[in-house]
Amino acid sequence: MESGQRRGCLEMWSEENRILVEQLKNISVHAVNRREIVRQSYVSFSKLLEKIQGLPPTIPSIPLELTILYNTIVLSLSLSDVNQNVNSLLYEGLVRGLEAYDAHFDRLDITKLWAMIFQSIHDPNFIQAVDQLIYLQCILWLVCNQLEKIDTVLHLLRDRGSSGSGLNTHSGDLWQCVKSGDLLKDRNGSDLTLVLSLTSLGELIYTCAMFIRGFRKMEEGNYLEAVDILEQAAEGLCSKRILAEIYTLIGHCSAQMHRPQTALQYFRWALQADIQCLSALYHAAMVYRRLEMVDAELEALNHLSVALESWDQYKVGNDVDSQVLIRPEQLVQIPATCHLLTSVNWVHVKHSLAGRFLQMGRVEAAAEHYLDLLASFLEESQQEIFVVADHTIPRIPEIYLEAAVALLHCQRFNDVITVSEELASKMTCLISEKLTFEITVNEWLSSDCSKSTEAPEINTSHQTCHLNSFSESQILWAKKKETLNYILWAATAFLYQGQAFALLKNNKESITNFTRCVNLLLKVQVVCPPDLGVPDDQIETLKKNMIEVKILQKLKSLAFVGRGIQLAERGQNLEALQNFQLSLQAYHDSFEAVYHLVEILWKLERKQEAVAFWLKQAEAEKRHKANASEEFPIFLISCLKEISTSEEEAVSKMMEGYRSSFAKRT
């Protein structure tokens, strides 16, 4: 194409770019069809870019080409998340710029390509055009959390110090210069050629970079530094959603620094910024829980529950009053493992309410919430939250068991039987005939080190050999542990059925279900490999520190006690005595077993034996109280029936009276 024709095309394309920018900026930000208009503008800019890139790059054409490329990428980011196509567009645009100046280069990675551009080309027209793309490059790195690369290219930009680039080479803090627009200024007339000013883009990058830096510091546990950085982010160009998330993170950091009132204030600000930031309301409820402000906690959880139940109507569109085409929430990628800012799930909130009511003894309210939960599990919409493990929500079988406990306390015994049977029938078909569960040193450490302040010191040659093979057996270990969970859940369901039938005065069915519970638990044999080289006392320590083993032992104890009580009611006192003894063998700190054992010995006229055994109960009671805070699941804690003080005192008085009279006779 002749130079005159090329100049004519450039003038025509430049005017077309200006018209497209003007049309887009004249559209009201409140226009209902704004997104469709942006999409149409993107299509127009893409076609314009194709036209100019259809010709070889030249020094006169490359500034306009890079300007059109800038507008195309901005609108692409406005319509969707960053994708490989955007990265390719930017890279190819820079390559064409180097080709226009006959720069020699191999295919470099993007960071080295930027360094080469800064070093090799000093034409002010090219520099002004390519500077427009620097912030877009920063945005692409922001999405990947690559702040280090952003720092590198911004330092290169500042150090270049070209008078034609609009740079301030006397800047202090680099990021403050980005925020203020001193690092990269809008050139004269850029508002007519660019769909988004460099100043606005710089503010956006600043906000998102500070957000990510603050989030990283928070994850590292540097809460004070995180708060300082996040407060800087809040001063930047924020959408309502991002501002609310920043306040939520600051609130969390404040709570971790034991500043609950400050945390609550930031959670309030988060909700004022964005009423849809329900995670702030949830975390506020958790702070109220730690402060034991029960009414405030329950009010917050109830608000959450109501909001989530009507979420489709409650939810509104995006923050349309923002004039920034690229939204900060598009650029901030929070890890999926972080639950601080993830959307609060209705099941999570409902379970928090139900569990709290259960712990408080408000069992009627707890039961209703649990029944709502069980009904929701039948709906497909609630299934997906259990596909990925979420430590904040118990697994479905555990929620069934908690529901059974609540119903049991409400004396809705037939409902207990129904719920428990539904769970037991699903679990038993997954259970093998027998489960040998091996505890190894490395497995115990990996599963329980967070609960134990000091792991046993074990250092043997056998251990090294075993640790090397652990990775190969990891899948088998996980499968066995899951089978153990099936057994524990099913056994607990049988236990609650036994208790429900007992309270319905159905002695036969009660004994049957307690027996089913015991038989199921006896399928499990917990062992340590004989060649591990670990002393027996340390093996016992390993067993005692595994929560699954504790639950197994406690369930056995409760089942034997329950069956013993039912046998005693039928007059089968010797069989009842045997069950109480087995209960104590299964769980030595079971004061309930001690109490019932003494009672049955007394009935059998073995009064001296009963007195002698009761005298030992003081030590058992000490252990019982010391272990009262053991971390059993809520579905097990809530069903443990403690012997009342009056019952204990009555037995003590009877024992002491017999002991005194016996001493007088002798």
Side-chain angles (χ1 to χ4, degrees):
M1 182 180 291
E2 296 181 1
S3 60
Q5 290 178 312
R6 181 183 288 271
R7 278 198 304 273
C9 287
L10 290 180
E11 290 174 0
M12 180 178 63
W13 292 334
S14 178
E15 179 64 15
E16 187 176 347
N17 177 76
R18 188 192 65 77
I19 292 172
L20 287 173
V21 170
E22 184 179 1
Q23 287 176 345
L24 187 61
K25 289 189 173 182
N26 287 337
I27 300 300
S28 169
V29 294
H30 299 289
V32 176
N33 61 338
R34 176 173 170 78
R35 184 172 179 82
E36 177 58 26
I37 295 171
V38 171
R39 191 192 66 78
Q40 291 173 1
S41 297
Y42 166 70
V43 172
S44 297
F45 276 112
S46 297
K47 290 179 178 178
L48 183 57
L49 183 63
E50 288 176 5
K51 291 177 187 177
I52 197 167
Q53 288 186 340
L55 299 176
T58 62
I59 292 176
S61 68
I62 204 66
L64 176 60
E65 179 178 332
L66 296 186
T67 297
I68 296 170
L69 175 63
Y70 172 92
N71 291 334
T72 304
I73 292 177
V74 167
L75 294 182
S76 175
L77 293 174
S78 177
L79 293 168
S80 63
D81 295 330
V82 174
N83 53 54
Q84 189 57 42
N85 182 52
V86 174
N87 284 279
S88 299
L89 274 176
L90 182 58
Y91 189 92
E92 292 303 322
L94 296 176
V95 167
R96 283 174 61 85
L98 288 172
E99 289 175 350
Y101 287 86
D102 296 323
H104 299 286
F105 66 96
D106 296 322
R107 282 283 168 170
L108 304 170
D109 70 59
I110 191 68
T111 308
K112 292 179 180 178
L113 190 63
W114 276 109
M116 183 177 182
I117 289 171
F118 289 149
Q119 294 166 6
S120 61
I121 303 178
H122 305 290
D123 178 1
N125 291 326
F126 175 78
I127 289 172
Q128 283 185 342
V130 83
D131 281 352
Q132 297 168 173
L133 303 180
I134 292 174
Y135 278 171
L136 287 182
Q137 179 64 75
C138 292
I139 280 180
L140 301 185
W141 282 332
L142 265 177
V143 174
C144 301
N145 288 344
Q146 295 176 333
L147 296 186
E148 297 76 13
K149 289 186 177 181
I150 297 176
D151 284 332
T152 299
V153 78
L154 291 182
H155 275 97
L156 287 171
L157 178 63
R158 183 179 66 179
D159 295 342
R160 186 182 65 188
S162 171
S163 59
S165 65
L167 300 180
N168 180 356
T169 57
H170 303 290
S171 58
D173 180 78
L174 185 60
W175 281 106
Q176 286 298 327
C177 291
V178 173
K179 176 189 175 186
S180 63
D182 290 336
L183 185 63
L184 198 57
K185 295 180 179 295
D186 289 302
R187 69 180 189 272
N188 291 334
S190 64
D191 58 321
L192 301 177
T193 59
L194 302 180
V195 295
L196 180 62
S197 71
L198 295 180
T199 301
S200 296
L201 204 53
E203 288 185 62
L204 180 66
I205 292 168
Y206 172 83
T207 298
C208 296
M210 292 302 104
F211 186 108
I212 294 169
R213 285 178 61 192
F215 183 83
R216 285 182 180 179
K217 292 296 181 183
M218 183 197 71
E219 285 196 314
E220 293 168 3
N222 297 329
Y223 298 115
L224 193 59
E225 193 172 350
V227 168
D228 182 58
I229 295 172
L230 289 168
E231 285 178 340
Q232 294 178 51
E235 296 172 359
L237 186 65
C238 298
S239 64
K240 292 179 180 179
R241 174 179 161 184
I242 283 295
L243 184 60
E245 290 184 350
I246 290 171
Y247 286 150
T248 301
L249 292 180
I250 296 176
H252 171 73
C253 291
S254 300
Q256 295 302 308
M257 292 189 291
H258 306 290
R259 301 174 181 173
Q261 295 304 327
T262 302
L264 290 172
Q265 183 61 59
Y266 273 103
F267 292 143
R268 290 189 196 101
W269 287 344
L271 287 166
Q272 288 171 6
D274 183 4
I275 194 62
Q276 297 180 47
C277 186
L278 300 184
S279 57
L281 187 55
Y282 174 76
H283 292 302
M286 296 303 100
V287 172
Y288 286 132
R289 177 174 296 184
R290 287 193 288 274
L291 293 174
E292 298 183 354
M293 298 172 65
V294 178
D295 291 340
E297 176 197 344
L298 293 177
E299 182 181 3
L301 290 174
N302 270 314
H303 281 315
L304 268 174
S305 180
V306 171
L308 290 166
E309 283 174 356
S310 56
W311 183 244
D312 290 339
Q313 294 76 29
Y314 174 79
K315 191 175 180 181
V316 295
N318 275 339
D319 185 6
V320 295
D321 61 346
S322 172
Q323 297 187 41
V324 179
L325 286 167
I326 303 173
R327 303 178 56 75
E329 49 266 36
Q330 293 177 257
L331 312 182
V332 176
Q333 302 294 321
I334 299 299
T337 52
C338 174
H339 299 284
L340 278 171
L341 297 177
T342 51
S343 298
V344 182
N345 192 281
W346 179 84
V347 171
H348 187 171
V349 174
K350 202 72 171 175
H351 177 262
S352 293
L353 273 170
R356 194 61 170 143
F357 280 126
L358 182 58
Q359 290 171 329
M360 293 168 58
R362 295 170 61 175
V363 292
E364 293 289 347
E368 291 307 317
H369 284 297
Y370 276 120
L371 289 176
D372 288 344
L373 275 172
L374 299 191
S376 76
F377 296 150
L378 301 177
E379 300 175 10
E380 186 177 353
S381 61
Q382 298 297 347
Q383 297 293 328
E384 59 187 29
I385 65 164
F386 296 97
V387 175
V388 179
D390 183 348
H391 74 280
T392 61
I393 305 175
R395 301 188 53 189
I396 289 180
E398 294 185 16
I399 296 178
Y400 266 80
L401 294 173
E402 291 174 21
V405 172
L407 293 167
L408 196 62
H409 286 308
C410 291
Q411 300 182 17
R412 296 170 63 170
F413 305 129
N414 287 314
D415 289 336
V416 174
I417 293 167
T418 301
V419 169
S420 299
E421 183 58 35
E422 183 176 349
L423 176 61
S425 62
K426 291 178 180 177
M427 292 296 108
T428 49
C429 64
L430 302 173
I431 297 170
S432 57
E433 285 301 312
K434 187 177 180 181
L435 175 64
T436 301
F437 193 75
E438 287 188 354
I439 303 178
T440 69
V441 176
N442 191 54
E443 286 159 353
W444 174 76
L445 290 176
S446 65
S447 66
D448 203 64
C449 60
S450 62
K451 299 183 183 114
S452 176
T453 56
E454 185 177 353
E457 292 289 337
I458 300 175
N459 185 15
T460 70
S461 58
H462 295 278
Q463 182 187 6
T464 304
C465 177
H466 186 78
L467 293 182
N468 291 335
S469 64
F470 171 64
S471 58
E472 299 174 5
S473 62
Q474 208 165 13
I475 295 177
L476 179 60
W477 160 264
K479 287 181 178 178
K480 284 191 172 185
K481 198 164 186 180
E482 186 69 347
T483 301
L484 178 59
N485 283 332
Y486 298 154
I487 291 173
L488 295 178
W489 293 331
T492 308
F494 290 143
L495 177 72
Y496 293 159
Q497 282 187 309
Q499 292 178 349
F501 278 118
L503 293 165
L504 288 170
K505 306 301 180 184
N506 190 334
N507 191 266
K508 181 180 177 181
E509 284 297 326
S510 178
I511 291 174
T512 298
N513 280 280
F514 284 131
T515 302
R516 292 167 77 188
C517 176
V518 169
N519 290 342
L520 197 52
L521 294 171
L522 291 176
K523 288 177 178 281
V524 182
Q525 183 181 9
V526 182
V527 299
C528 279
D531 60 342
L532 190 59
V534 180
D536 290 343
D537 59 337
Q538 291 189 357
I539 288 176
E540 290 305 311
T541 301
L542 297 184
K543 290 183 180 180
K544 289 178 182 178
N545 280 281
M546 280 197 66
I547 187 62
E548 291 89 355
V549 176
K550 290 180 182 179
I551 295 173
L552 180 74
Q553 293 168 334
K554 190 64 181 178
L555 284 173
K556 278 185 189 177
S557 178
L558 289 169
F560 280 127
V561 166
R563 190 167 68 177
I565 292 171
Q566 295 305 302
L567 290 168
E569 288 185 1
R570 296 175 65 169
Q572 297 173 251
N573 292 331
L574 288 175
E575 290 87 345
L577 175 62
Q578 184 182 31
N579 275 268
F580 296 140
Q581 290 170 333
L582 290 170
S583 176
L584 275 174
Q585 288 177 20
Y587 199 81
H588 300 298
D589 296 336
S590 174
F591 183 63
E592 296 88 349
V594 171
Y595 176 84
H596 291 293
L597 181 58
V598 168
E599 264 196 336
I600 205 68
L601 286 171
W602 192 266
K603 282 184 181 180
L604 292 169
E605 297 297 328
R606 294 162 60 174
K607 296 184 178 180
Q608 289 186 23
E609 194 177 341
V611 171
F613 198 83
W614 184 256
L615 291 177
K616 295 180 182 178
Q617 72 83 25
E619 185 61 31
E621 176 66 358
K622 287 179 184 177
R623 292 198 304 270
H624 172 72
K625 289 180 179 178
N627 294 331
S629 60
E630 284 184 322
E631 294 185 3
F632 286 117
I634 184 175
F635 66 78
L636 193 54
I637 292 174
S638 301
C639 80
L640 304 182
K641 180 183 180 301
E642 293 188 0
I643 303 302
S644 67
T645 303
S646 59
E647 289 174 315
E648 182 182 349
E649 289 176 351
V651 174
S652 294
K653 186 176 181 180
M654 184 171 62
M655 296 296 111
E656 191 60 39
Y658 178 83
R659 185 183 179 192
S660 299
S661 63
F662 182 79
K664 289 178 182 178
R665 290 199 302 269
T666 57

